[in-house]
Structure formats: structure tokens, C-alpha cells
Amino acid sequence: MDYGHSDRPAGAPPLPTAIKILIAGGFGAGKTTMVGSVSETRPLRTEEVLTETGIGVDDLSGVEDKTTTTVAMDFGRITISDDLVLYLFGTPGQDRFWFVWDELALGAIGAVVLADTRRLADCFPSIDYFEERGTPFVVAVNCFEDARRYQLHEVQAALNLDPGVPVLLCDARQRESSRDVLVTLMEHAMKAREARRRED
């Protein structure tokens, strides 16, 4: 088979570069909401209704109104330019679904860790996961209306983040806010890649 042959017509514009990004964070932090707010296509969701089976397993403190949970992933897409498309994969938040994380993380250039200041400790597993794998990430503090507001440097210190990890505020319901988070991640990932090249 001639793998060099292309069925694309002569003169056709090149296919855009596809970039994979993970949207991670704790249970109820707003991952599904962020993917849905920024995706230009109807997002793929794998949500299930919370049932009595989850009592004693899923910690609903701080998110008592939550009625569904992601059991595999959320998926969305956003076109940045004619030659660049981002594919967004929202991860499940509960520990019992972490077995899918390694598959979702394959090929990802970076991640957004959504933080809920009502349950800030829920960020640690995601942060540890990306730090251990050397995956560039940013922390986006999702500003829930009933959550206490903290200065960004306070969040950075509470999460014991490297000073180079960007921390920013966002509203996962708003397309523009979610897009700004993705732009910050892209810039951070490119800087990390350049730093690795210089080290090599």
C-alpha cells in the first residue's frame, strides 16, 4: 500500500492540526459545563443519574444539588483557526472511574484542572497525576456563586503549586471565559515544550 498517496484533491487546503486537551478536576467542579460551554458542536456526554448506590461512595458535601455524574468522559471541539482544532476530553471526577484516565491522557498536550474552592482538596489527585507525568496544566478556579473568593496567590499556595503553573479565575458556564482558560493552557504548554527542547 502506498502510504504517501493522498485522496485529497490537488490544491485542497491542508488538514488542520488536531490538539488534545484534558479538562480535569474534582467531582462537581464544572468539567462537563466547561466542555459544553466552549464546544462548537453538541458535546458528547456520558452522564448518569446519581442513585442510592453512590451513597457513602460519592461525597456530595458542597455540591448537594448535583444529580448526575460523568462515568467515562465528555467530548467537545473548538476551532481556533483554519489550521488548528482543539479536541476537549472531560475526565470523570470520582476515584472509581480513574481507570479511564490513562486512556484519555494519551496524546494530550496539556490539561485544565478545574478548582472548586468549596472542595479545594479535590484538585490534588488531578494535580498529582499531571505532575507525575510531566503534563503541562493550568488551574482554573471556577467561580461558583456560593463559594468564598480567594486571591490567586492563596490558591497557588494552598495547592502547593510550582510558581510556573498558571492559576486563573473562570466561569465555566461562559464560552469566553472557558476559551480564555484554553488559550492560557496553550501558551503554557508551548512554553513548556520550548523549555524541554532547550534542555535537550
Side-chain angles (χ1 to χ4, degrees), residues 21-24 29-40 43 45 74-78 88-90 111-115 138-143 168-182 185:
I21 289 175
L22 296 186
I23 310 296
K31 301 178 294 295
T32 298
T33 300
M34 174 171 275
V35 172
S37 73
V38 78
S39 180
E40 64 196 16
R45 293 177 173 157
D74 300 308
F75 174 77
R77 183 186 76 198
I78 177 171
L88 311 176
F89 291 80
V112 173
V113 176
L114 273 176
V138 302
V139 173
V141 179
N142 196 5
C143 297
L168 61 160
L169 301 177
C170 78
D171 184 338
R173 301 169 299 181
Q174 302 297 323
R175 178 178 174 83
E176 294 79 10
S177 183
S178 297
R179 183 192 59 206
D180 290 346
V181 171
L182 296 175
L185 172 62

